[in-house]
Amino acid sequence: MDRLDNTRVRRRGVEHLTCVRCDGIEIGGGKFTVIAGPCAVESSEQALAAARAVEKAGAKIYRGSLFKPRTSPYSFQGYGPEGIEILSSIRQETGLLVETEVLSAAHLELLAEHVDMLRIGSRSMRNFELLKEVGKTDKPVILKRSMSATLEELLLAAEYILAGGNERVVLCERGIRTFETYTRNTLDILAIPALHELTHLPIIVDPSHSSGRSSFVGPASKAALAAGADGLIVEVHPSPADALSDGFQSLDFPAFERLMTELREIAAVVNKVI
Amino acid sequence: MDRLDNTRVRRRGVEHLTCVRCDGIEIGGGKFTVIAGPCAVESSEQALAAARAVEKAGAKIYRGSLFKPRTSPYSFQGYGPEGIEILSSIRQETGLLVETEVLSAAHLELLAEHVDMLRIGSRSMRNFELLKEVGKTDKPVILKRSMSATLEELLLAAEYILAGGNERVVLCERGIRTFETYTRNTLDILAIPALHELTHLPIIVDPSHSSGRSSFVGPASKAALAAGADGLIVEVHPSPADALSDGFQSLDFPAFERLMTELREIAAVVNKVI
Amino acid sequence: MDRLDNTRVRRRGVEHLTCVRCDGIEIGGGKFTVIAGPCAVESSEQALAAARAVEKAGAKIYRGSLFKPRTSPYSFQGYGPEGIEILSSIRQETGLLVETEVLSAAHLELLAEHVDMLRIGSRSMRNFELLKEVGKTDKPVILKRSMSATLEELLLAAEYILAGGNERVVLCERGIRTFETYTRNTLDILAIPALHELTHLPIIVDPSHSSGRSSFVGPASKAALAAGADGLIVEVHPSPADALSDGFQSLDFPAFERLMTELREIAAVVNKVI
Amino acid sequence: MDRLDNTRVRRRGVEHLTCVRCDGIEIGGGKFTVIAGPCAVESSEQALAAARAVEKAGAKIYRGSLFKPRTSPYSFQGYGPEGIEILSSIRQETGLLVETEVLSAAHLELLAEHVDMLRIGSRSMRNFELLKEVGKTDKPVILKRSMSATLEELLLAAEYILAGGNERVVLCERGIRTFETYTRNTLDILAIPALHELTHLPIIVDPSHSSGRSSFVGPASKAALAAGADGLIVEVHPSPADALSDGFQSLDFPAFERLMTELREIAAVVNKVI
């Protein structure tokens, strides 16, 4: 991986690990930080109900997309920019930080002003023009691995952001595309120790997109914690069967609560603080 | 492939095939159209030399990128917008049409005004916001398959452009990512007959990116023609060893001339007109 | 590919190319040799009808499996050893050479005695104990690439046979497993020039298993010829819809005849003799 | 997965789970059974040293291959049949059960007589003739997933053994082949919950072959336990740097001991008994 020489993302020695701070919340540094919420903001009721539930169960940051990159142009494309107000009211009411996906430079200013954390989705990991723009902001960023990116490519995509001056990048493993189709993607669980060897940036896991089935979200989440991840980004919906996107892989509230309980038990023995 | 039902890209019956017209040049309709030129415009001398050579050998459209999406932020990122003048002078001097890659909506207006054909690179195939913008222009577009896209996903990406009102889309197979690393990508040669079954849009092949080695560009090109492709987009450089990007897979002028000769011989027996 | 240094399969210089001889028939050396027949011998009538048809259309060697490695134990497992007599009568009546798959060392002696050419199927490419046994026979062997083998692994598998003293090995590209499922496998068309660079052994293509659909067998075959292959192994069945295995990808007689005609036309311009 | 209907491997209802018994040792049924030992038996000293160490650390079954399927014919091919005595003396001295890989029907009788458990390696998963033979024995069998097998194909391979009358099959996830090469294979961690949904057979994980690096064996093992696996098969060597095969991925004794300690702590909170 010669191309990583002299990059800012490269880990330099055993002690060199970054803890990304986002207001009071930390990702990295011995914490196991859970980000949770619906795939997409669908209505203020749906979004707020999910926020209350995930806050109560122990999540620290709320996920909720306003713009959805969908395979088909005829699928639900997201609530749009007006959803910003919903995210603001969630922050106010629940005290959760809020993060959302940025799909286009055209929305960047608006989103960066109103949310606490930005997310670059897997389909945008190779949108280097967007990464350059995000590198100019002062917002922490979750950078999701493309379903066809090697670890080196993920790290060089992160380098686009760091090179712009924004050092608060959190990497996210969300499954890669392989020949196996029983799961939506193949969760590359060993990307976690591999990335910890290669970079000082924190690494979280998306157990929802990697598995594509709500019944696998628990095993994926526990495996991620056991393998050394610094957190999760999980899809939780008040009523998965009615979700406008990704319902099949979303947890309902009781399932998310049970998962958080199980994670706390494992965290205690693997030296992580939830 | 249920998601293709009721799409504009779907082929409807044996006769239903689109010939994309770009000024006097046709892609589809029994033609085998060769697009050729350097990976990137590096200087007016380099660009123009390549243009003269490919025109003389029989190419109809000039390829030349001004903006390069590179895995590392520290690699050559392209000549930039000033290269537009170089492309214009190439059109004027050689009579070739010119095409170039559009990476970002920010450059779209400029590029659409000055070039004859736009290209969406494989890394941008899932940049749906960009596809929507390109769908609003009146320029023919080459849409390259993402290295991890299924055929259905490629077609639904094309649908984003057609849904916007721009019907002149040419699909491009450029290799997919697999476990085999001896070639840069794996040229999915059967994507050609498969796409001809599924869609009425023309299909061209990029033998350069799919193979990653100049010695394989000939076999890839001839196989594409024999398998029914409607054309090629080939990288040709005055001095591949000195290229700022992709030199390893670029043909020099004599190699490109030889290839064109061989293609004409095969075209004659497979009922295609070069 | 350091592991290929000092192997017998490694190509040594431009002139170093092997032509495998099998009685009067040659594979390599400027010939394009077509091997054809049903996936499996089902009855003497079916097997003989196919033999007459492929001989008439220009095939030189008959393919017909007696033992079938099937994903499910409840699928048709092949006609079994009694089919040997059918193969013998085909040789006698049509003058075709016959080849068949060897699945197990237990059948090797019987098969080696009665057929002209052995075939190691893709599922057996890593059955090194079997390769060692085949290396001790004096029969020419077709070695099919495993659906997950790199080119280097295919060549090292061939080396097992050569190391045993049997130098008459023909490599066969038959598609690799990738994320794309519209075709049964992904035909790695550039394996042909790549293998010609790496080894002196001849290379044929299986357009039937790689595509999985009879409508793609033509394009795959023509692409293989154009890309430099030394031959084909094609599935042909008197009545594909009734086949006990692989009917979906088998050609009927008229389709095979048309294909042979088209191949002859292309062969004439790419300097191959059918 | 229609082909799994009416198979013996198919899980039928929540309660339907098999615990494979191998003398006093159980795999499945709430146990987390660790199988450990060197990749290959190299000498009686090396083999016995490893046996003592893994027994002391808590392994229940000893792994040690006598026949090695190697990519190159010029790599170490294994100690051979004389190693049987070494395995017997290990059983006697340490009380561990012993398992070994069966590569060929020719060795089956000998191995079945002298070892407690057979192993079908990933390269042999599609050697259906061998599976049929193993199905006729009365020995418990570990069946490793081929690096290119879907879960359905793994289960149908297991069905070959069950169909022969041998019901004591333990499935093993050992990594699949993908485009990512930083790890030797990609550990498909979600194969564990997926297989638990599909089959009643127990599932263990090989953290050594899936990762290819000793530093990843710990994370892989802990993730497997957290995701619900029924055990592990781990490579442990007295001196990994001197191993004749797979040294890069083997644990030394202190690392294995530490791993067992960590696994016990996690097992306690996920309701598994080591």
Side-chain angles (χ1 to χ4, degrees), chain D residues 217-233:
Chain D
V217 169
S221 299
K222 290 183 274 184
L225 171 53
D230 298 301
L232 297 176
I233 178 165

Side-chain angles (χ1 to χ4, degrees), chain A residues 158-199:
Chain A
E159 187 74 9
Y160 269 97
I161 303 175
L162 273 75
N166 185 347
E167 306 247 331
R168 291 194 287 169
V169 175
V170 175
L171 303 173
C172 179
E173 159 61 29
R174 49 77 72 204
I176 58 175
R177 182 161 272 186
T178 71
F179 64 81
E180 177 60 71
T181 56
Y182 191 72
T183 42
R184 179 170 173 178
N185 293 281
T186 297
L187 174 58
D188 183 7
I189 194 79
L190 295 183
I192 302 166
L195 288 169
H196 279 315
E197 265 184 26
L198 292 168
T199 185

Side-chain angles (χ1 to χ4, degrees), chain D residues 25-254:
Chain D
I25 304 302
E26 293 176 340
I27 303 181
K31 296 291 196 314
F32 188 77
T33 308
V34 179
I35 302 166
C39 174
V41 169
E42 299 171 7
S43 70
S44 60
E45 293 70 28
Q46 169 256 13
L48 196 54
R52 286 183 195 120
V54 303
E55 191 276 335
K56 192 176 146 228
K60 301 295 186 204
I61 303 177
Y62 180 78
R63 75 153 273 153
S65 297
L66 303 178
F67 304 96
K68 293 298 307 166
R70 303 303 297 279
T71 300
S72 166
Y74 307 124
S75 300
F76 172 62
Q77 303 276 315
Y79 195 91
E82 310 78 47
I84 277 292
E85 288 183 32
I86 300 176
L87 294 181
S88 296
S89 66
I90 283 171
R91 194 202 292 100
Q92 210 161 354
E93 186 179 325
T94 64
L96 287 169
L97 300 184
V98 298
E99 67 89 67
T100 201
E101 176 166 0
V102 54
L103 267 190
S104 156
H107 311 136
L108 185 56
E109 199 180 348
L110 176 76
L111 296 177
E113 191 182 330
H114 288 90
V115 302
D116 304 293
M117 194 169 199
L118 298 168
R119 183 183 354 119
I120 299 288
S122 57
R123 288 174 182 78
S124 304
M125 192 206 86
R126 300 189 206 269
N127 186 345
F128 304 127
E129 298 303 305
L130 181 58
L131 298 182
K132 288 175 189 172
E133 293 303 315
V134 167
K136 295 177 195 159
T137 72
D138 65 347
K139 287 289 170 186
V141 187
I142 295 172
L143 176 65
K144 296 183 82 172
R145 183 183 185 183
S146 157
M147 68 175 86
S148 64
T150 62
L151 298 179
E152 189 190 39
E153 289 167 345
L154 169 61
L155 290 170
L156 288 168
E159 186 75 9
Y160 269 97
I161 303 174
L162 273 75
N166 185 347
E167 307 248 330
R168 289 194 289 167
V169 175
V170 174
L171 303 173
C172 179
E173 160 61 28
R174 49 76 72 205
I176 58 174
R177 181 159 271 186
T178 71
F179 64 82
E180 177 60 69
T181 56
Y182 192 73
T183 42
R184 178 169 174 179
N185 293 282
T186 296
L187 173 58
D188 183 7
I189 194 79
L190 296 183
I192 303 165
L195 287 169
H196 279 314
E197 264 184 27
L198 292 167
T199 184
H200 57 93
L201 297 172
I203 297 123
I204 66 173
V205 165
D206 176 343
S208 309
H209 285 87
S210 50
S211 66
R213 296 185 181 225
S214 56
S215 61
F216 298 170
V217 169
S221 299
K222 290 183 274 184
L225 171 53
D230 298 301
L232 297 176
I233 178 165
V234 193
E235 290 185 350
V236 180
H237 193 281
S239 175
D242 302 316
L244 296 182
S245 59
D246 286 356
F248 204 55
Q249 71 198 28
S250 293
L251 296 184
D252 61 16
F253 299 163

